[in-house]
Amino acid sequence: MSRVRMLDPHVADLIAAGEVVERPAGAVKELLENALDAGATAITVEIRAGGAGFIRVADNGGGMSAEDARAAFLRHATSKISVKEDLFAIKTLGFRGEALAAICAVSDVDCLTREHGAVIGVSISVSAGQIGDCTDAGCPEGTTVIVRNLFYNTPARLKFLKKDATEAAHISEVIIRAALSRPDVSIRYIKDGNELLCTPGGSLLDAVYGALGRDFGSLLAGVSNSENGVEISGFIGKPEAARGDRARQYFSVNGRPVRGRVLTAALEEAFKGEIPDGKLPVCVLNINMPPEQFDINIHPAKAEIKFIRDKEVFDAVYFAVKSAQQKADMLPALQVKRSPLTFSVNTNPPLSQVSAYLSVLSDIPVIPIIPSAVKAPEEEVLSLYFASPAAPYALRELPRETEEKDWRFVGEVLGGYIIAESEGAIWLIDKHAAHERVIYNRLKDRAAAPMPQTLLTPSVVSLPEKQCAVLLEEREFLENAGFEFENFGGSLLIRAAPDFAEVFELPVMLGEIAEKFLSGIRTPALRDDILHIVACKAAVKLSTRSSLSELMAICGAVMDNPDIRHCPHGRPVAIRLTRSQLERQFLR
Ligand code: ADP
Ligand code: MG
């Protein structure tokens, strides 16, 4: 007797069910997709506990006739595609005709549905894949599917389910992703009788507020771009929204939530240098492109996407994000707590001097800064700081010069932070971070034609043998960055250095560069990394005293150049306090 035989259809369904619905969230995803494919404008998802016991998805879409409802639960039954060509231009979320068959193979399903325009609806129950009779039922237009006892007949699967809270969290994620990729549809999510999420069916921002909350929504900048037939709209998070994981990177393609390495890579590349190393950006980006340009049929749950032309999609996303960053104001706002405030004047400078400053600085705003000497969190003591003693006098000489500009240099405080004013806002600039960015940009601009500065007296730099050796090996590369040096009996004789570099910084700078080479990572970004090191070492230190002209130059660079917003490591160079934020603090 032959040992090879056809699988029993029910066993085949159980196997397919394992792929399509791995966990309750998988069932919710499939039912949501069916509702969206049916043209619903409002969908309610209700679950109890972790969803395995009870899931209900109700929609107001086109509904099914009795005949369709009976067929819908059969394996490979679909109304969405018919010939193989359809597979290459899929416009619906589902197309395999597997989901309902898979779900009902491992659960008890009740379905109530009324076709658009029909006088009466039908009710059908399916248990362990056995389709019951269709009976007439009074119900609204649209479809409601209730799934109970998921995985009751597949104990192994049931055993692998995580705690209810974990399964429910997976379901929330599925619903958030659907809500963000189809903001035009109102989606409601109820868990154990409580509404957890509701989007109104409107703009993407409405959906973001509904699905992710106001706090998240307030940290976004708009994206809108079209390139190579790839249309991109949505939002990127400002740098302060960045996080340690990718949980808040939402992409969709033609209304389908997707994951794709190209998308993530383009987003993260565009954020390099804008956010601190180790942090990951957030986004809600909806992409529209011709359906024949990608393949969604590569993953059982249709979550992964493959693009025919990776590079074009990468570029489209990258440039969309970059241009959004340039247009948007990516500066973080100064965070000041809202609880009742009392003011105290810091004793340094002394009070007598303070009043003297005030008379000189009468038109210069006094800057409240987040408490530097808070004793207990509930004691909100704001210290008032003033421009450095030299500033007001020097300022009197300089305003003529700055009158033409739309910003004003105010002074330096706390030995390192520059204060400026523009268009109803106060700017606090980190002089080191800003200077670092200025130098880095200049080094980058002139990378094609480096400008080494020949040292008056060549400087001998002693470094560990390994470091010296690697620097000598990479001499050509370093010459392109403005260094000239030679072997000097186990040390390096430096004849020229990039013109921003101070001689006394050279040993540390070269040591760090050598370590970079020794780490063995040869990415195209290596050159940038080395420029970072030069810029960081050459920039004024926060604690070093700077001349007024130096401070004014750094201030001007930040205020006049919108591309100087983050240091090369991604830390902000400035934060801003607007008049309205200030007024709120004063309860005006
Ligand atoms: P697919 O979505 O891949 O076609 P499914 O098993 O998910 O396969 O659904 C089978 C068919 O049942 C669909 O093609 C559709 O015609 C019908 N159907 C399922 N859910 C709904 C719904 N909520 N409203 C209307 N029709 C539905
Ligand atoms: Mg489906």
Side-chain angles (χ1 to χ4, degrees):
M1 195 182 123
S2 146
R3 283 182 298 136
V4 180
R5 65 191 102 92
M6 295 302 289
L7 272 182
D8 175 86
H10 182 55
V11 178
D13 283 346
L14 286 178
I15 294 171
E19 288 179 4
V20 180
V21 281
E22 250 183 307
R23 58 190 341 151
V28 170
K29 173 176 174 291
E30 294 294 339
L31 297 174
L32 258 174
E33 288 188 356
N34 282 347
L36 290 167
D37 281 343
T41 57
I43 303 172
T44 301
V45 180
E46 186 180 354
I47 68 153
R48 293 195 197 132
F54 180 91
I55 297 169
R56 179 176 72 97
V57 177
D59 69 59
N60 66 351
M64 287 179 273
S65 66
E67 197 187 342
D68 284 347
R70 262 191 304 264
F73 290 92
L74 297 173
R75 188 124 182 255
H76 305 306
T78 179
S79 56
K80 299 170 193 174
I81 61 171
S82 55
V83 291
K84 75 171 189 302
E85 286 71 23
D86 293 343
L87 263 184
F88 305 107
I90 292 164
K91 296 193 181 72
T92 49
L93 297 169
F95 52 86
R96 293 186 184 141
E98 274 182 342
L100 288 184
I103 293 170
C104 75
V106 290
S107 67
D108 297 322
V109 175
D110 289 314
C111 171
L112 269 177
T113 182
R114 186 171 135 209
E115 205 172 12
H116 190 66
V119 283
I120 192 144
V122 295
S123 154
I124 186 167
S125 298
V126 190
S127 185
Q130 297 299 311
I131 303 174
D133 290 334
C134 253
T135 52
D136 285 352
C139 60
E141 283 182 353
T143 303
T144 299
V145 177
I146 297 173
V147 177
R148 291 192 178 87
N149 308 324
L150 194 60
F151 303 130
Y152 77 98
N153 53 351
T154 50
R157 178 74 54 186
L158 201 57
K159 212 169 77 194
F160 279 106
L161 288 188
K162 298 274 185 297
K163 287 200 185 100
D164 283 353
T166 311
E167 295 301 333
H170 282 287
I171 293 175
S172 297
E173 231 10 71
V174 162
I175 295 170
I176 290 172
R177 285 187 183 265
L180 296 176
S181 51
R182 287 298 304 275
D184 54 315
V185 176
S186 163
I187 296 183
R188 236 177 120 212
Y189 172 37
I190 300 166
K191 180 180 175 292
D192 299 319
N194 301 314
E195 181 180 282
L196 294 193
L197 174 161
C198 182
T199 63
S203 72
L204 181 57
L205 195 59
D206 290 338
V208 168
Y209 278 139
L212 299 171
R214 240 155 225 287
D215 286 350
F216 183 85
S218 66
L219 294 177
L220 300 177
V223 176
S224 162
N225 207 48
S226 179
E227 188 127 351
N228 304 325
V230 182
E231 260 173 53
I232 298 174
S233 60
F235 300 94
I236 48 170
K238 294 187 176 184
E240 64 247 65
R243 25 188 305 146
D245 56 42
R246 298 196 168 88
R248 291 280 179 261
Q249 293 184 355
Y250 296 104
F251 292 100
S252 82
V253 173
N254 294 4
R256 176 197 303 278
V258 289
R259 287 190 296 263
R261 261 190 305 133
V262 178
L263 304 172
T264 317
L267 171 79
E268 291 175 8
E269 188 66 26
F271 266 92
K272 272 224 175 106
E274 302 288 341
I275 53 178
D277 292 346
K279 288 267 183 178
L280 293 161
V282 306
C283 75
V284 180
L285 291 179
N286 290 348
I287 300 167
N288 271 301
M289 61 191 291
E292 59 280 5
Q293 292 293 316
F294 60 86
D295 189 358
I296 194 66
N297 203 8
I298 56 166
H299 184 272
K302 297 163 291 178
E304 301 276 345
I305 191 165
K306 206 172 117 219
F307 297 103
I308 309 283
R309 288 199 262 278
D310 267 2
K311 170 99 178 60
E312 286 183 8
V313 176
F314 181 96
D315 286 352
V317 173
Y318 178 84
F319 289 114
V321 173
K322 272 286 162 212
S323 75
Q325 286 168 341
Q326 269 150 26
K327 273 185 232 141
D329 185 357
M330 299 299 270
L331 276 186
L334 184 65
Q335 308 277 334
V336 187
K337 294 209 182 108
R338 293 240 176 118
S339 28
L341 305 169
T342 56
F343 294 86
S344 78
V345 173
N346 196 291
T347 49
N348 180 18
L351 259 177
S352 55
Q353 278 186 36
V354 167
S355 54
Y357 293 165
L358 271 180
S359 60
V360 181
L361 295 171
S362 56
D363 61 332
I364 293 176
V366 165
I367 314 299
I369 291 179
I370 302 176
S372 60
V374 184
K375 288 172 198 79
E378 60 280 8
E379 270 185 76
E380 285 277 29
V381 180
L382 279 192
S383 302
L384 304 186
Y385 294 90
F386 299 90
S388 71
Y393 306 105
L395 268 176
R396 273 192 290 184
E397 303 306 315
L398 290 162
R400 255 167 282 127
E401 205 184 282
T402 54
E403 243 165 22
E404 307 298 310
K405 302 191 183 295
D406 51 8
W407 54 267
R408 198 163 65 92
F409 172 83
V410 178
E412 185 190 18
V413 288
L414 302 179
Y417 296 95
I418 296 168
I419 296 178
E421 180 192 3
S422 91
E423 291 167 32
I426 296 161
W427 294 59
L428 295 170
I429 299 168
D430 175 325
K431 79 178 177 189
H432 170 75
H435 196 205
E436 196 178 338
R437 184 74 197 203
V438 170
I439 295 176
Y440 173 74
N441 282 8
R442 280 191 217 158
L443 284 172
K444 251 191 120 155
D445 281 351
R446 77 157 75 132
M451 236 201 264
Q453 184 182 259
T454 306
L455 305 181
L456 281 179
T457 11
S459 170
V460 178
V461 171
S462 306
L463 292 171
E465 202 182 320
K466 248 174 136 182
Q467 294 187 353
C468 272
V470 77
L471 291 175
L472 285 164
E473 249 169 63
E474 302 290 347
R475 187 146 64 176
E476 197 181 320
F477 184 99
L478 289 165
E479 275 173 5
N480 287 331
F483 290 96
E484 274 171 30
F485 55 92
E486 59 197 63
N487 192 351
F488 191 69
S491 300
L492 295 178
L493 185 71
I494 315 289
R495 296 201 178 275
D499 57 353
F500 301 106
E502 297 275 2
V503 172
F504 68 89
E505 297 283 7
L506 286 176
V508 180
M509 194 185 281
L510 286 166
E512 280 190 26
I513 293 173
E515 285 307 316
K516 199 90 221 169
F517 282 122
L518 287 170
S519 71
I521 309 159
R522 291 289 156 133
T523 62
L526 180 66
R527 184 186 186 86
D528 279 359
D529 288 345
I530 288 177
L531 297 183
H532 284 180
I533 296 175
V534 176
C536 180
K537 293 286 163 283
V540 290
K541 302 287 161 297
L542 204 60
S543 54
T544 326
R545 235 187 123 80
S546 309
S547 69
L548 192 64
S549 59
E550 225 173 344
L551 293 172
M552 299 274 295
I554 295 172
C555 179
V558 173
M559 303 304 282
D560 292 335
N561 297 302
D563 57 331
I564 298 190
R565 290 293 175 262
H566 298 92
C567 80
H569 308 289
R571 276 183 286 110
V573 303
I575 53 176
R576 203 169 52 170
L577 179 67
T578 63
R579 180 188 295 279
S580 59
Q581 286 165 334
L582 193 65
E583 282 172 354
R584 246 179 288 147
Q585 298 304 316
F586 284 105
L587 308 178
R588 278 179 177 275

